[in-house]
Amino acid sequence: MPPKFDPSAVQTIFVRVRGGKVGNPASLAPKVGPLGLSPKKVGEDIAKATGDWKDLRITVKLEIQNRQTKIEVVPSAASLIIKALNEPSREGKAKGEHTKHNGNISMEDIHSIAKLMRGRSMSKDYIGTVKEIIGSCVSVGCTIDGETAKVLLTKIRSGEVELENRE
C-alpha cells in the first residue's frame, strides 16, 4: 500500500486543457483524486481560470496544499502567437480538423511574446529567444510583418534585419 501523503506539502501538477471549457472529470480524477479533491470542481476552476484562452490548448499548473488549489496558466509560445493573431473562435469546427493560422503579426508582438517566454527559454540571450519565437511562427504558419518566418530568420542570420535587445 502506498504511503499516506502529507496534506501540508505542496503538490504540483501540470495539465493540458482546452481553454475556457470544463474538461472531462475522468481525466483529472487519477491526478487530483488521491489528494482528496473533487475532479469536477477542479475542472470548473480550471475552466474559469482559462477563460481568456478560449478554444486554445493550454498548460495549467495546479499547486495543491491542504486541499486548496491554486491555478496558474502557463502558456506556450505557440499559444501566445495564436492569441496574438486574434482569430475568431473555432466553435462549430470538427474536433480533429486542423486549423490554419494564416494571419499576420507584428514584430512588436514577437518582442512582447519573447519577454514573456524569456524565463523558460533555452537561449543564452534575448535575441536567441526572439529567434525561438520566430521559429514557433514557422510551425504555427503565420507571417511576421508580411514576410514568412523562414525568410525573416534568414535575413536576421545574414544581417539584413537587425534585432535590438529589449531585455
Side-chain angles (χ1 to χ4, degrees):
M1 192 163 154
K4 292 281 184 196
F5 76 97
D6 180 18
S8 62
V10 178
Q11 299 277 341
T12 305
I13 300 171
F14 287 93
V15 185
R16 218 86 169 128
V17 294
R18 190 161 300 278
K21 292 189 178 171
V22 179
N24 184 4
S27 63
L28 283 173
K31 296 175 179 87
V32 299
L35 302 174
L37 295 168
S38 162
K40 186 176 181 197
K41 185 185 175 307
V42 171
E44 290 167 356
D45 292 345
I46 290 173
K48 236 182 272 172
T50 59
D52 297 346
W53 301 89
K54 198 121 175 88
D55 291 331
L56 290 176
R57 295 267 300 157
I58 196 94
T59 306
V60 176
K61 179 181 177 183
L62 302 172
E63 285 187 358
I64 302 164
Q65 184 177 22
N66 295 330
R67 295 184 63 192
Q68 298 294 314
T69 59
K70 195 170 85 179
I71 298 169
E72 182 184 334
V73 176
V74 186
S76 65
S79 301
L80 290 166
I81 291 167
I82 294 169
K83 190 174 181 184
L85 287 170
N86 292 328
E87 292 182 334
S89 174
R90 52 171 272 133
E91 281 185 40
K93 291 188 179 174
K95 187 177 180 187
E97 186 179 319
H98 179 68
T99 311
K100 292 249 188 265
H101 305 286
N102 52 6
N104 186 36
I105 59 175
S106 68
M107 203 60 191
E108 284 301 314
D109 291 335
I110 297 290
H111 282 290
S112 63
I113 293 169
K115 282 180 186 172
L116 285 171
M117 294 296 293
R118 184 66 189 117
R120 290 184 283 150
S121 171
M122 292 290 151
S123 177
K124 283 191 288 188
D125 55 356
Y126 176 77
I127 292 171
T129 305
V130 172
K131 287 181 183 178
E132 283 181 4
I133 303 303
I134 294 171
S136 296
C137 287
V138 173
S139 65
V140 168
C142 65
T143 57
I144 303 151
D145 290 333
E147 292 184 330
T148 63
K150 284 188 178 183
V151 169
L152 187 62
L153 275 174
T154 7
K155 285 184 178 180
I156 290 169
R157 286 190 193 112
S158 68
E160 286 179 55
V161 175
E162 196 69 34
L163 292 176
E164 72 259 17
N165 193 350
R166 296 189 186 181
E167 205 166 16

